[in-house]
RNA sequence: GCCCGGGUGGCGGAAUUGGUAGACGCGUCGGAUUCAAAAUCCGAUGGCAGCAAUGUCUUAAGGGUUCGAGUCCCUUCCCGGGUACCA
């Protein structure tokens, strides 16, 4: 029986690491540093799921590896603990969110420790701790004092069921991201952060980041910079009234055959003629009633109404009608457009619907049979622009507009200011009081403004946030004047705490500022940041924004917080086979799609076989669905890490999650796969220890032979290179190859076993520590030196060459290493091979390809 | 629709600058050990033909470049993610 006993070993080493503070961050700044960060979790009531350890294991491997490479490593963890679930639970049960949160955090901490992550547990941060949110409030005050935080009455996404306002990003298809409740538009006083002021820098600084290209692209699209022009159109019969439009295609102005204003545009009332007024009013009312969702739903049919007014196209003096339509958005650009149906698909559609004229101003290619033509080409019907391509035409028309004082170059962003307040209890209070209806900053000495105690966590009857229930807390005085004042009752959104937590880890106890300047200078930027791609836009954009503000305040030394970013891919449930049944008969999965009255029948993999491209029920032609689904409680396919650790140990869980495939990829869970890596650990154990009760040492003091050194150094090279590139799956495969090879040896020299244990340790730290100590070392191996490989020990005595004739392998030859680069020798040997001669016979060699240490290819033709 | 990723054995996945496709693991089959089982160990394992040597086909499909293509180019199909009237 095997004596590798993970549960005993793992608890013992976890205790050792904690008691000895093995992973405490070094205080000295004398060595190179490495800051490796996980996106900190929201401590939910359901505990850790198998997705968490994926990214956490990856960063843990890097952290342990870097320590052994001689770096000072900062590897912290904390809790993003404000948020809606604890509050909803409080509404239901009356349990204070603080208590729920504390309980959940304790559970999460326990689970993370159970997995053997090498966090510095003295640096935990907790966003709900007043000592932490004091500095969140402090940062808000910097924003406020810089004029980057302002109050605004604006239509917001109000969710009645949640009793709160949601950011645009938190609304998906007109429903709340959390809970899926309907969301309506409602005007409300809100705090807003001027992220738009940083739009250009947020865009430009993306270029230098080592982030996934797709994530950078998403942020670029979100920021949505467009370069174009603003152009003023005179309104006929309204002397001095102009409509300003924004366009990215000023070069098409000669094709502007009508204009469209957003229904909410402020000039609509003024320019509408009496005959059209009824229709316009009616259209505006209807548009106002619609939510954003409804407007989007009706994208198929363009709608709109003529205002009766005409504008003058400044380029050619022609009169064009002015319409209103809800396909023009009030909040983008100037809320008005010049419509150029010839070059814009939306305008073309609208023009077709309402029978408006269409003029092409870019010559499409002859074979073009579409409608609007949006590609490049020479300008036509455009007076002095004719013949120019888009770029040149843009340049020329902008010069012309500026000379004539009717327009200018202009830049627009899709990005909107950040709606920063929520009508919730469990969030950071704003450090703001209202005196005579005006917001005023609480002075820094009076921070933190702590959450008041209340016993009902619902909004008030009048719809005010829950904090309004704490009447004594709300009513206060202005310390400067002694005048009565009211505290702000909104709280900050969950993003606030996560916008700067990576800084607090650097000096968690520091009480002079969010972060100690000297330590910040040493540790920043974060060298590696790992977390889910669901944060590609929101968290990462907001954190970058705050970081830049802090940079402008002189508080941080880097323009960007996260140098390198990696997203771990989601782990899906085990593959499930599903057959479909209708009216008692099995039907093929593709027929079942969209049918009603279909029952799903789960099958086991022994009922299923592969036939061509698809899976079918064994012995039939009935197609079966084979799919790994997202893990979810309702589907019942959730894998609980606790169970996996109980059965196989934390080392096996860690190893398996890394072995599944590339870190970034989505991949299905397989319990059989865990068993596989568990077998590997058992084999590794038996490599060093005898199969007796005490696991006595099998390792010898003998000198390793050349073969053993070769196998070892190949493993060192592969594992080292793969960790550097975060290819953990192939690194583990290299460790497996080592064990497979070593299993065939007669002896296991200590000088080979020890480097192997170190190679294994970042992946499976518990078993490695145990091996290390049984090999006779005291203490932990966490700071042992990472082994270096020696290329000289890796060369083989012979080199194998595949020999091809006309690109097909016909033989393999072994060449002594010293002759391996001798072209004539190798080709000579190749030609003698029986199976090669066969193909050369009766043919002429027209070319001999020789790639040293790679391949030989003889090109022949008959005759 | 648009923008990013991807399509490789029964499955998860490997494959330097283009150089033996299928490493490693799972599963399956056969064997050893055992009273038996579990565990463990050994062997086989992409398809087709063949006793075998070997041949032939094969990286979503089709075409191209090359002595040689999973890798480069073109066309098409499918899957995943993001986004959606942003002028």
């Amino acid at each position: 029986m095997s004596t590798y006993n993970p549960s005993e070993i793992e608890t013992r080493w976890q205790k050792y690491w904690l008691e000895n503070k093995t992973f405490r961050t070094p205080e000295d700044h004398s060595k190179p540093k490495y800051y490796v960060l996980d996106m900190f979790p929201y401590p939910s009531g359901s505990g850790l799921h198998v997705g968490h350890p994926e990214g956490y294991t990856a960063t843990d491997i890097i952290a342990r590896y870097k320590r052994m490479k001689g770096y000072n490593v900062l590897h912290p963890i904390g809790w993003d603990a404000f948020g809606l679930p604890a509050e909803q639970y409080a509404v239901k049960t009356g349990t204070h969110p603080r208590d729920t949160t504390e309980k959940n955090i304790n559970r999460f901490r326990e689970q993370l420790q159970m997995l053997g992550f090498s966090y510095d547990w003295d640096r935990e941060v907790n966003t709900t701790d007043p000592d932490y949110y004091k500095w969140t409030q402090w940062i808000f005050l910097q924003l406020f004092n810089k004029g980057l935080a302002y109050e605004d009455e604006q239509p917001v996404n109000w969710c009645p069921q949640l009793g709160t306002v949601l950011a645009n990003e938190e609304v998906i298809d007109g429903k709340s991201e959390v809970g899926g409740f309907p969301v309506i538009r409602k005007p409300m006083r809100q705090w807003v952060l001027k992220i738009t002021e940083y739009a250009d820098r947020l865009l430009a600084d993306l270029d230098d980041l080592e982030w996934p290209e797709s994530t950078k692209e998403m942020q670029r699209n979100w920021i949505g910079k467009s370069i174009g022009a603003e152009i003023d159109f005179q309104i006929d019969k309204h002397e001095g009234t102009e409509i300003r439009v924004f366009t990215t295609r000023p070069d098409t102005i000669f094709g502007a055959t009508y204009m469209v204003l957003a229904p909410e545009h402020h000039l609509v009332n003024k320019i509408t003629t009496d005959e059209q007024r009824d229709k316009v009013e009616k259209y505006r009312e209807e548009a106002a009633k619609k939510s954003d969702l409804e407007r989007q739903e009706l994208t198929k049919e363009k709608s709109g109404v003529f205002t009766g007014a005409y504008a003058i196209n400044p380029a050619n003096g022609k009169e064009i009608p002015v319409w209103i339509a809800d396909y023009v958005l009030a909040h983008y650009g100037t809320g008005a457009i010049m419509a150029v149906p010839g070059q814009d698909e939306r305008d073309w559609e609208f023009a077709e619907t309402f029978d408006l004229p269409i003029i092409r101003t870019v010559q499409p290619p002859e074979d073009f049979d579409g409608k609007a033509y949006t590609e490049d080409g020479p300008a036509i019907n455009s007076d002095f622009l004719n013949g120019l391509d888009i770029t040149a035409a843009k340049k020329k028309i902008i010069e012309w507009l500026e000379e004539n004082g009717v327009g200018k170059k202009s830049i627009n962003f899709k990005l909107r200011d950040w709606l920063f307040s929520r009508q919730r209890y469990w969030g950071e209070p704003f450090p703001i009081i209202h005196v005579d209806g005006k917001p005023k900053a609480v002075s820094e000495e009076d921070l933190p403004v702590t959450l008041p105690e209340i016993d009902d966590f619902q909004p008030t009857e009048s719809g005010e946030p829950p904090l309004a229930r704490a009447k004594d807390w709300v009513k206060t005085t202005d310390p400067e004047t002694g005048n009565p004042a009211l505290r702000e009752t909104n709280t900050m959104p969950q993003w606030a705490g996560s916008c700067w937590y990576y800084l607090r880890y650097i000096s968690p106890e520091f009480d002079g500022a969010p972060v100690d300047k000297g330590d910040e200078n040493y540790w920043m930027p974060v060298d590696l940041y790992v977390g889910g791609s669901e944060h590609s836009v929101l968290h990462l954009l907001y954190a970058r924004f705050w970081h830049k503000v802090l940079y402008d305040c002189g508080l941080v030394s880097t323009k960007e917080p996260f140098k390198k970013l990696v997203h771990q891919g989601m782990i899906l449930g085990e593959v499930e086979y599903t057959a479909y049944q209708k009216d008692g008969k099995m039907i093929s999965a593709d027929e079942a799609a969209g049918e009603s009255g279909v029952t799903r029948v789960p099958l086991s993999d022994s009922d299923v076989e592969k036939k061509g491209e698809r899976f079918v029920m064994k012995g039939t032609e009935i197609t079966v669905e084979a799919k790994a689904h997202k893990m979810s409680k309702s589907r019942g396919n959730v894998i609980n890490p606790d169970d996996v650790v109980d059965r196989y140990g934390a080392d096996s869980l860690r190893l398996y999650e890394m072995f599944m495939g590339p870190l970034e990829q989505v991949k299905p869970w397989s319990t059989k796969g865990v068993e596989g890596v568990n077998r590997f650990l058992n084999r590794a154990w038996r490599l060093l220890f005898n199969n007796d009760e005490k696991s006595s040492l099998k390792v010898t003091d003998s000198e390793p032979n050349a073969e053993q050194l070769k196998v070892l150094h190949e493993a060192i090279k592969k594992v080292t290179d793969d960790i550097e590139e975060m290819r953990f799956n192939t690194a583990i495969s290299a460790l497996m190859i080592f064990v497979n090879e070593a299993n065939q040896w007669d002896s296991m020299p200590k000088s080979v076993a020890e480097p192997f244990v170190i190679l294994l340790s970042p992946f499976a730290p518990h078993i490695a520590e145990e091996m290390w100590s049984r090999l006779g070392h005291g203490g932990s191996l966490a700071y042992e030196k990472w082994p270096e490989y020696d290329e000289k020990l890796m060369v083989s005595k012979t080199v194998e060459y595949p020999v091809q004739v006309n690109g097909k392998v016909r033989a393999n030859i072994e060449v002594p290493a010293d002759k391996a680069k001798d072209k004539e020798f190798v080709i000579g040997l190749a030609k003698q091979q029986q199976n090669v001669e066969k193909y050369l016979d009766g043919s002429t060699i027209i070319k001999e390809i020789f790639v040293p240490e790679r391949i030989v290819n003889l090109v022949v033709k008959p005759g």
Side-chain angles (χ1 to χ4, degrees):
Chain A
M1 64 155 268
S2 154
T3 43
Y4 163 51
N5 180 353
S7 62
E8 189 270 324
I9 291 174
E10 289 176 359
T11 42
R12 187 150 44 76
W13 281 101
Q14 282 157 17
K15 197 162 156 249
Y16 176 93
W17 293 329
L18 271 184
E19 283 173 358
N20 292 279
K21 294 193 185 291
T22 306
F23 303 113
R24 191 172 43 198
T25 313
E27 297 290 339
D28 72 284
H29 293 179
S30 60
K31 291 201 255 175
K33 66 93 184 180
Y34 199 84
Y35 185 178
V36 50
L37 179 69
D38 292 298
M39 287 186 186
F40 64 165
Y42 172 74
S44 71
S46 40
L48 226 54
H49 55 80
V50 291
H52 286 115
E54 194 191 8
Y56 297 167
T57 303
T59 52
D60 197 58
I61 290 166
I62 298 287
R64 287 172 180 273
Y65 168 75
K66 289 285 179 184
R67 283 188 202 102
M68 294 177 142
K69 278 291 221 182
Y71 288 82
N72 278 342
V73 171
L74 175 56
H75 186 41
I77 192 74
W79 320 107
D80 187 15
F82 276 128
L84 205 45
E87 181 159 332
Q88 285 172 318
Y89 187 70
V91 169
K92 249 194 280 173
T93 66
T95 316
H96 197 288
R98 195 192 303 114
D99 300 335
T100 314
T101 301
E102 196 193 330
K103 200 174 123 229
N104 292 348
I105 286 176
N106 288 337
R107 173 99 190 93
F108 261 70
R109 189 188 299 107
E110 228 172 74
Q111 286 185 302
L112 290 179
Q113 288 175 350
M114 168 189 90
L115 292 168
F117 297 130
S118 62
Y119 294 122
D120 178 353
W121 289 102
D122 293 341
R123 287 179 186 245
E124 241 178 286
V125 304
N126 174 348
T127 55
T128 66
D129 182 344
D131 287 340
Y132 179 90
Y133 70 67
K134 169 182 175 178
W135 297 110
T136 310
Q137 292 173 338
W138 185 91
I139 296 169
F140 176 81
L141 288 183
Q142 311 310 306
L143 286 149
F144 181 74
N145 293 334
K146 279 177 157 295
L148 292 168
Y150 62 99
E151 285 179 295
D152 193 21
E153 183 83 21
Q154 55 168 259
V156 296
N157 304 302
W158 171 252
C159 179
Q161 272 85 346
L162 294 176
T164 189
V165 161
L166 301 170
N168 288 321
E169 299 84 276
E170 293 168 309
V171 182
I172 293 165
D173 295 337
K175 287 184 178 139
S176 62
E177 190 182 10
V178 179
F181 302 116
V183 172
I184 60 168
R185 305 285 285 172
K186 182 178 169 181
M188 256 189 170
R189 183 190 64 83
Q190 296 293 326
W191 283 96
V192 185
L193 299 187
K194 265 193 207 163
I195 191 171
T196 51
E197 202 148 288
Y198 282 71
D200 249 323
R201 286 163 66 186
L202 288 168
L203 184 67
D205 292 345
L206 280 172
D207 293 343
D208 302 324
L209 297 175
E210 294 168 48
W211 285 22
E213 207 41 56
S214 60
T215 303
K216 293 206 248 183
E217 201 53 33
M218 265 192 240
Q219 293 217 348
R220 287 192 192 106
N221 292 337
W222 193 266
I223 295 166
K225 181 177 185 172
S226 329
I227 302 171
E230 285 183 353
I231 307 174
D232 293 329
F233 284 67
Q234 270 299 326
I235 303 301
D236 193 32
K237 299 193 182 89
H238 287 81
E239 208 49 41
T241 303
E242 291 170 342
I243 297 173
R244 175 164 293 184
V245 303
F246 173 73
T247 176
T248 53
R249 294 292 305 275
D251 59 297
T252 62
I253 189 168
F254 288 94
T257 52
Y258 63 101
M259 290 185 79
V260 186
L261 308 186
E264 300 89 346
H265 195 280
H266 67 282
L267 287 175
V268 175
N269 254 334
K270 185 169 179 188
I271 63 169
T272 301
T273 57
D274 292 337
E275 305 89 84
Q276 294 297 95
R277 191 159 302 273
D278 283 353
K279 279 189 197 158
V280 167
E281 282 305 320
K282 203 169 151 238
Y283 186 79
R284 292 184 82 183
E285 271 169 39
E286 274 170 21
K289 265 191 280 176
K290 287 183 204 166
S291 68
D292 271 8
L293 171 67
E294 286 168 315
R295 280 203 188 183
Q296 282 166 25
E297 273 177 349
L298 302 168
T299 54
K300 305 278 172 279
E301 289 279 306
K302 288 271 181 294
S303 68
V305 180
F306 178 44
T307 61
Y310 288 85
I312 315 292
N313 185 333
N316 55 16
K318 280 190 188 154
E319 280 191 0
I320 57 175
V322 180
W323 287 62
I324 63 168
D326 63 5
Y327 83 93
V328 172
L329 306 174
H331 55 71
Y332 182 79
T334 59
I337 62 157
M338 64 175 201
V340 189
Q343 272 75 232
D344 183 288
E345 280 160 17
R346 296 153 302 179
D347 295 345
W348 180 289
E349 224 179 287
F350 190 83
E352 265 193 336
T353 310
F354 294 103
D355 220 4
L356 292 156
I358 295 168
I359 302 170
R360 283 194 195 281
T361 59
V362 177
Q363 182 62 54
E366 265 175 37
D367 57 349
F368 180 77
D369 57 358
K371 296 177 171 181
Y373 178 68
T374 55
E375 304 294 307
D376 205 351
I380 53 169
N381 303 322
S382 295
D383 198 343
F384 57 88
L385 299 179
N386 282 345
L388 299 176
D389 64 18
I390 292 179
T391 319
K394 274 186 186 170
K395 191 160 174 271
K396 192 157 185 183
I397 189 68
I398 288 173
E399 279 165 18
W400 185 91
L401 290 167
E402 287 176 350
E403 270 164 32
N404 291 274
V406 289
K408 59 175 195 298
K409 190 177 172 182
S410 166
I411 291 171
N412 242 288
F413 292 94
K414 230 159 88 174
L415 184 70
R416 284 190 257 166
D417 277 344
W418 176 13
L419 183 72
F420 194 67
S421 42
R422 301 289 184 274
Q423 290 64 53
R424 287 182 194 160
Y425 175 77
W426 197 228
E428 299 87 347
F430 281 83
I432 291 287
I433 55 171
H434 296 269
V435 186
D436 300 329
K438 286 206 186 75
K440 184 171 177 178
V442 171
S443 70
E444 284 181 25
E445 306 86 76
D446 295 330
L447 298 183
V449 176
T450 53
L451 280 168
E453 295 306 315
I454 57 175
D455 40 28
D456 184 348
F457 299 93
Q458 280 181 294
T460 67
E461 290 70 26
S462 57
E464 278 181 281
L467 288 190
R469 292 183 181 275
K471 294 204 174 64
D472 296 342
W473 179 86
V474 172
K475 249 192 237 162
T476 184
T477 51
D478 178 358
E480 252 175 27
T481 62
N483 289 341
L486 295 173
R487 287 194 188 277
E488 173 65 54
T489 55
N490 283 306
T491 52
M492 299 187 201
Q494 201 181 353
W495 309 110
S498 60
C499 269
W500 72 282
Y501 73 110
Y502 57 92
L503 292 172
R504 195 61 190 165
Y505 287 135
I506 290 171
S507 51
E509 309 286 333
F510 188 64
D511 63 1
V515 62
D516 181 289
K517 195 79 192 61
D519 292 332
E520 185 280 333
N521 214 22
Y522 176 66
W523 286 110
M524 284 301 284
V526 173
D527 295 282
L528 174 66
Y529 193 26
V530 175
S533 58
E534 65 273 23
H535 297 112
S536 291
V537 179
L538 308 182
H539 160 62
L540 288 166
L541 190 67
Y542 294 156
R544 293 179 62 221
F545 164 48
W546 276 36
H547 193 86
K548 286 181 187 307
V549 174
L550 294 176
Y551 178 78
D552 291 348
C553 294
L555 199 86
V556 298
S557 56
T558 63
K559 284 187 186 171
E560 286 286 334
F562 316 119
K563 193 165 127 214
K564 179 173 176 166
L565 172 75
V566 174
H567 301 302
Q568 82 276 18
M570 207 192 334
I571 297 180
L572 305 173
E574 297 228 19
V575 174
E576 294 169 36
Y577 299 97
T578 313
Y580 290 87
Q581 196 172 36
K582 190 177 170 150
D583 306 327
K585 274 207 317 235
M586 304 309 282
I587 57 170
S588 277
D590 31 312
E591 294 167 36
E595 287 273 317
S596 58
V598 177
T599 334
R600 298 168 57 92
V601 184
L603 300 175
S604 78
D605 52 355
S606 53
D607 301 332
V608 173
E609 65 184 343
K610 182 111 183 204
K611 206 165 224 175
E613 288 290 275
R614 59 217 177 98
F615 282 92
V616 296
M617 288 179 71
K618 234 175 210 171
T620 71
E621 286 296 324
I622 299 161
T623 308
V624 163
E625 180 194 75
K627 208 178 158 183
H629 298 88
K630 256 188 195 174
M631 287 191 194
S632 71
K633 263 188 207 152
S634 57
R635 189 173 277 280
N637 61 348
V638 176
I639 303 288
N640 183 342
D642 297 19
D643 299 341
V644 180
V645 171
D646 277 352
R647 281 184 69 183
Y648 305 101
D651 282 337
S652 290
L653 174 64
R654 293 170 55 117
L655 213 49
Y656 173 64
E657 293 213 5
M658 294 300 99
F659 187 63
M660 293 171 89
L663 181 64
E664 304 81 356
Q665 221 161 84
V666 177
K667 41 212 174 267
W669 182 265
S670 152
T671 297
K672 285 283 183 198
V674 189
E675 285 173 14
V677 296
N678 183 257
R679 272 202 280 272
F680 158 70
L681 288 178
N682 272 292
R683 276 204 301 274
W685 182 266
R686 288 196 306 270
L687 203 57
L688 306 194
F689 307 116
N690 288 309
N691 198 7
D692 54 30
E693 269 313 301
K694 283 180 293 203
S695 283
S696 61
L697 208 56
K698 201 169 161 184
V699 169
T700 67
D701 286 325
S702 58
E703 282 296 310
N705 61 33
E707 164 67 12
Q708 291 171 329
L709 286 173
K710 180 168 178 276
V711 169
L712 172 68
H713 283 254
E714 277 170 351
I716 297 174
K717 178 170 165 49
K718 182 74 177 143
V719 172
T720 307
D721 292 352
D722 282 351
I723 292 180
E724 291 280 355
E725 300 294 320
M726 299 183 76
R727 293 181 302 230
F728 303 118
N729 55 331
T730 49
I732 293 166
S733 133
L735 291 168
M736 289 171 166
I737 291 169
F738 174 89
V739 169
N740 291 347
E741 293 281 338
N743 251 325
Q744 297 164 35
W745 300 342
D746 304 330
S747 71
M748 182 46 149
K750 196 172 181 185
S751 60
V752 173
E754 289 189 345
F756 165 71
V757 170
I758 293 181
L759 292 184
L760 177 66
S761 69
F763 302 90
H766 309 88
I767 192 175
E769 290 275 21
E770 185 65 18
M771 288 169 161
W772 189 250
S773 98
R774 281 166 183 259
L775 282 167
H777 301 275
S780 168
L781 54 50
Y783 295 90
E784 290 298 324
K785 197 167 171 298
W786 188 259
E788 307 240 343
Y789 58 89
D790 183 349
E791 298 270 5
K792 286 201 290 289
L793 298 172
M794 290 160 61
V795 289
S796 319
K797 286 198 206 76
T798 59
V799 174
E800 197 173 305
Y801 274 93
V803 181
Q804 299 184 331
V805 180
N806 283 347
K808 294 203 167 172
V809 180
R810 297 302 178 186
N812 277 291
I813 53 173
E814 291 232 331
V815 182
D818 56 326
K819 292 263 176 59
K821 286 182 181 155
D822 184 338
K823 179 174 175 179
E824 274 174 35
F825 177 85
V826 176
I827 289 186
L829 189 63
K831 285 179 186 165
Q832 291 165 26
Q833 302 303 305
Q834 201 191 351
N835 203 43
V836 173
E837 273 184 318
K838 202 161 89 187
Y839 290 92
L840 300 181
D841 203 28
S843 301
T844 337
I845 298 181
I846 53 171
K847 205 168 177 183
E848 292 174 349
I849 312 278
F850 176 75
V851 184
E853 312 211 334
R854 282 254 162 254
I855 209 162
V856 171
N857 189 8
L858 304 171
V859 187
V860 301
K861 73 170 185 217

